[in-house]
């Protein structure tokens, strides 16, 4: 019988309070399903918005750029309506059909402008979603955008979208 202790003992399993992911346990499956279903009701993916804009029957949504005029001129999604957030209360009824859902966007994921615009529209009675990623991810995923110089497109960033395939599979 070998009484020599092993040289390397396996590490002790971390307790849940020490686990960086599980120190707050996951929600129950029913609660998680409700949360994720609600999230999809409030958000739209950049590639889904692009796919909607290319539908032969029309997009079925209004895409709204909530940024300033200077930002709009820097580049915007083709076909988007320009309505800065501060002007929504006085101009939404003139520019938007209340029967058509609105998808708001601003600069990118680090900007709450689209969220503020969506809130202002919801308070006015519009059906609204926020486009995740904003204009930044629209450009990074390789979709065309308009500027005063015309239509432009940048190469797809391989960290944001598949380069060799139109579908990411998610």
């Amino acid at each position: 019988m070998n009484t020599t202790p092993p040289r390397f003992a396996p590490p002790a399993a971390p307790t849940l309070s020490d686990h960086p992911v599980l120190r707050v346990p996951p929600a129950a499956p029913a609660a998680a399903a409700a949360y994720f279903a609600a999230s999809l009701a409030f958000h739209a993916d950049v590639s889904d918005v692009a796919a909607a804009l290319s539908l032969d029957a029309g997009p079925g949504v209004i895409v709204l750029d909530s940024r300033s005029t200077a930002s709009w001129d820097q580049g915007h999604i083709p076909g988007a309506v320009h309505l800065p957030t501060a002007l929504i209360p006085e101009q939404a009824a003139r520019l938007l059909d209340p029967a058509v859902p609105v998808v708001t966007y601003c600069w990118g994921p680090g900007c709450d402008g689209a969220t503020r615009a969506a809130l202002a529209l919801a308070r006015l009675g519009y059906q609204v979603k926020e486009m995740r990623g904003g204009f930044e991810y629209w450009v990074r995923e390789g979709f065309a955008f308009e500027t005063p110089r015309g239509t432009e497109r940048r190469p797809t960033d391989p960290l944001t979208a598949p380069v060799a395939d139109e579908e990411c599979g998610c």
Side-chain angles (χ1 to χ4, degrees):
M1 172 151 78
N2 185 355
T3 57
T4 307
R7 261 184 91 136
F8 299 104
T15 63
L16 287 183
S17 64
D18 294 333
H19 194 284
V21 172
L22 300 176
R23 86 177 51 111
V24 174
Y35 170 82
F36 292 119
S39 179
L40 291 170
F42 296 115
H43 300 103
D45 180 271
V46 166
S47 60
D48 290 341
V49 173
L53 290 173
S54 70
L55 292 173
D56 290 337
V61 297
I62 297 166
V63 178
L64 185 141
D65 186 317
S66 64
R67 301 173 301 150
S68 69
T69 299
S71 298
W72 167 268
D73 288 343
Q74 228 174 293
H76 57 271
I77 295 173
V81 171
H82 182 225
L83 181 55
T85 301
L87 301 177
I88 287 173
E90 64 189 61
Q91 294 186 13
R94 182 174 58 79
L95 296 173
L96 305 174
D97 180 346
V100 180
V102 179
V103 177
T104 63
Y105 76 91
C106 60
W107 275 112
C111 177
D112 285 338
T115 306
R116 287 190 292 277
L119 175 60
L121 289 165
R123 286 180 170 160
L124 292 173
Y126 290 87
Q127 296 177 68
V128 64
K129 288 188 172 202
E130 178 183 5
M131 186 178 80
R132 289 188 178 202
F135 184 68
E136 174 190 349
Y137 275 70
W138 181 271
V139 173
R140 290 179 74 187
E141 290 192 22
F143 297 114
F145 58 97
E146 294 177 345
T147 71
R149 298 172 304 282
T151 301
E152 298 182 27
R153 183 184 300 255
R154 294 192 181 158
T156 302
D157 180 340
L159 296 177
T160 64
V163 175
D165 196 0
E166 291 192 25
E167 295 284 330
C168 69
C170 57

